[in-house]
Structures are given as structure tokens and as C-alpha cells.
């Protein structure tokens, strides 16, 4: 294969790897439902309704205690207050449901969640295809060894990043509070994994050399025995 074709294929493979790695982070560019301004504004109405109802209930109790309101009228006013509260909450929940519907995408509560799920699925599909190609076309490993190694390191890094995210961060991570800590931890883990791999490779190489030396000693011994027998 010509150098030009190798370069073009390397760029294609590298670009594919980048899309796989980036797909798990693209959702961070989109707002979750709770940060959407219309939803945030409406969400605050719930506390206002409850607080307003409690204040009016306190006023009724105060009037009852001061004798400004008798028991029958207090009961009537309290029932009206509860009915008004129920009506306001029904409207609140109806509007909330409407806003959720407007912000949802393909059954997901937001495009952010959709992008997150799509990214994970796309990464899994991509890795499955890569594994299939490596099994069916083993020659590609030697042909594109460097880009495959770089891609593998990238996959280890991204995988450990989201593993730590799942284990230690239960909310949407904040760039200032979490990002650098996760990146550093993921980078260190990746380096440790690579180091362990090369240590394993070094140990296996030493074993092979030892077995080879041992076999040569055995062969030499056999040759010496055969030579002594013939003399």
C-alpha cells in the first residue's frame, strides 16, 4: 500500500476514533431541563403557592383566635383556601407537564439526556465494530499499529473518566468543581494501566528469553551426551 493511501486511511481511522471519544462528552454542551429558563421560572411557583396558602391559613387562625372569625366561617374559609390551593397546584402541574413535553426529545426529558444516551450507545457500537475488524482483518493491526495504540489509550482514558464520574459524582459535574479532578484521576489511571501492560510485556519477554536459554542449555547437554556416547 502506498504511503498516500496509508496516510488517508490513518486519518479516516483517527477521525472515527475522535468521533467515538467525543460522542460521550457532547451532551455537556446542552442544558438539562432544570436549567431551562422557562422551566426554572415555573418551578419556583410551587413554593410560592404553598407559602401563600400557609400565610393565608395563618391569617385565618389569627382571626379565629382574636375572635374576628367564628368557627363556622373559619371552616368555610379554610375549605375555600384548600380548594384554591388545589386549583393552583393543578394548573401548576399541568403547566409543568406542558413544559416538560416541549423540552423533551424522542421520549427523553431533554436533548442533553438524548445526546448522553446516544453517545454511550455510539461508543459501544464503534468499539464493537473495531473489535470485529481486528478479528476479521488481523493484518490491520501491524499496518496501523500507532493509531490503534493512540486510540486504545484514548478509550482507556474516556472509560475511566466516566467510571469515576459514575462512582463519585451523582449530579451533573461542574467544570470548576470536578472536571480537572476527574481528568487528572483518569490520566493517572491510564498511565498506570499502560505501565502495567508494559511490565507484563517485559516479564513475558524475559520468560521467553529464559525458556530459550534453558532450551539451548538442554540441547547443548544432549549434544554433549551424544558426543560422549560415540567416543
Amino acid at each position: 500500500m502506498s504511503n498516500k493511501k496509508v496516510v488517508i486511511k490513518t486519518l479516516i481511522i483517527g477521525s472515527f476514533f475522535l468521533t467515538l471519544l467525543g460522542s460521550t462528552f457532547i451532551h455537556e454542551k446542552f442544558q438539562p431541563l432544570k436549567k431551562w429558563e422557562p422551566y426554572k421560572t415555573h418551578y419556583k411557583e410551587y413554593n410560592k403557592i404553598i407559602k401563600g396558602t400557609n400565610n393565608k391559613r395563618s391569617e385565618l387562625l389569627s382571626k379565629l383566635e382574636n375572635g374576628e372569625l367564628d368557627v363556622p366561617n373559619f371552616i368555610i374559609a379554610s375549605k375555600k383556601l384548600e380548594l384554591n390551593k388545589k386549583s393552583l397546584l393543578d394548573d401548576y402541574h399541568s403547566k409543568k407537564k406542558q413544559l416538560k413535553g416541549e423540552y423533551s426529545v424522542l421520549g427523553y426529558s431533554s436533548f442533553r439526556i438524548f445526546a448522553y444516551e446516544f453517545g454511550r450507545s455510539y461508543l459501544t457500537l464503534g468499539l464493537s465494530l473495531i473489535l470485529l475488524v481486528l478479528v476479521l482483518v488481523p493484518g490491520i493491526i501491524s499496518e496501523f499499529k500507532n493509531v490503534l495504540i493512540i486510540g486504545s489509550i484514548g478509550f482507556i482514558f474516556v472509560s475511566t473518566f466516566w467510571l469515576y464520574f459514575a462512582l463519585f459524582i451523582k449530579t451533573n459535574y461542574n467544570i470548576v468543581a470536578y472536571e480537572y479532578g476527574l481528568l487528572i484521576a483518569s490520566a493517572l489511571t491510564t498511565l498506570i494501566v499502560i505501565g502495567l501492560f508494559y511490565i507484563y510485556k517485559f516479564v513475558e519477554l524475559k520468560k521467553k528469553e529464559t525458556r530459550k536459554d534453558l532450551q539451548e542449555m538442554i540441547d547443548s547437554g544432549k549434544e554433549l551426551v551424544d558426543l560422549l556416547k560415540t567416543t
Side-chain angles (χ1 to χ4, degrees):
M1 186 183 293
S2 65
N3 290 334
K4 185 177 180 180
K5 288 184 177 180
V6 171
V7 171
I8 292 174
K9 286 190 175 182
T10 300
L11 289 174
I12 292 173
I13 294 172
S15 299
F16 179 57
F17 283 174
L18 286 176
T19 62
L20 289 176
L21 297 173
S23 66
T24 61
F25 293 97
I26 194 170
H27 67 281
E28 289 296 332
K29 298 297 182 181
F30 302 95
Q31 287 184 331
L33 175 63
K34 64 181 182 180
K35 290 186 178 181
W36 184 39
E37 197 57 41
Y39 186 83
K40 279 176 63 177
T41 302
H42 180 69
Y43 188 80
K44 297 175 183 178
E45 293 299 315
Y46 182 85
N47 286 335
K48 291 180 180 179
I49 293 171
I50 300 300
K51 186 176 180 180
T53 301
N54 290 339
N55 289 338
K56 290 179 180 178
R57 186 180 292 111
S58 296
E59 291 176 6
L60 290 175
L61 286 171
S62 179
K63 289 181 179 180
L64 179 64
E65 291 173 356
N66 295 333
E68 298 177 26
L69 197 65
D70 56 21
V71 174
N73 286 324
F74 172 78
I75 294 174
I76 293 172
S78 295
K79 287 182 177 179
K80 287 182 179 180
L81 182 61
E82 288 301 318
L83 288 173
N84 182 62
K85 173 188 171 184
K86 184 178 182 304
S87 176
L88 291 174
L89 287 178
D90 286 344
D91 292 341
Y92 167 82
H93 288 301
S94 177
K95 179 65 175 178
K96 184 179 179 182
K97 184 177 181 180
Q98 178 188 337
L99 290 172
K100 283 184 174 181
E102 292 176 4
Y103 205 66
S104 65
V105 175
L106 299 175
Y108 294 93
S109 61
S110 65
F111 188 82
R112 177 189 175 95
I113 301 299
F114 167 75
Y116 174 70
E117 294 295 338
F118 176 83
R120 292 199 307 173
S121 301
Y122 179 62
L123 177 62
T124 303
L125 175 62
L127 290 175
S128 301
L129 291 174
I130 291 171
L131 180 60
L132 181 62
V133 170
L134 293 178
V135 171
L136 296 180
V137 192
I140 200 173
I141 296 176
S142 58
E143 191 174 353
F144 300 100
K145 183 178 179 180
N146 291 333
V147 71
L148 289 173
I149 290 175
I150 295 172
S152 299
I153 293 172
F155 289 131
I156 294 171
F157 175 81
V158 170
S159 298
T160 52
F161 178 93
W162 289 114
L163 177 63
Y164 289 141
F165 178 86
L167 289 174
F168 304 116
I169 301 177
K170 297 180 181 179
T171 58
N172 296 315
Y173 80 87
N174 177 278
I175 292 178
V176 176
Y178 305 120
E179 183 179 16
Y180 296 112
L182 287 179
L183 290 175
I184 292 171
S186 302
L188 290 175
T189 303
T190 302
L191 290 175
I192 290 171
V193 170
I194 295 172
L196 290 174
F197 174 78
Y198 277 103
I199 289 173
Y200 171 79
K201 188 176 179 181
F202 175 78
V203 171
E204 286 297 308
L205 182 62
K206 285 296 181 182
K207 285 183 179 179
K208 288 181 180 180
E209 291 177 352
T210 302
R211 285 196 293 267
K212 183 179 179 181
D213 292 340
L214 183 60
Q215 188 62 46
E216 289 178 353
M217 289 178 60
I218 293 172
D219 293 339
S220 297
K222 287 181 178 180
E223 290 177 0
L224 180 61
V225 170
D226 293 337
L227 181 62
L228 291 174
K229 285 181 179 180
T230 55
T231 58

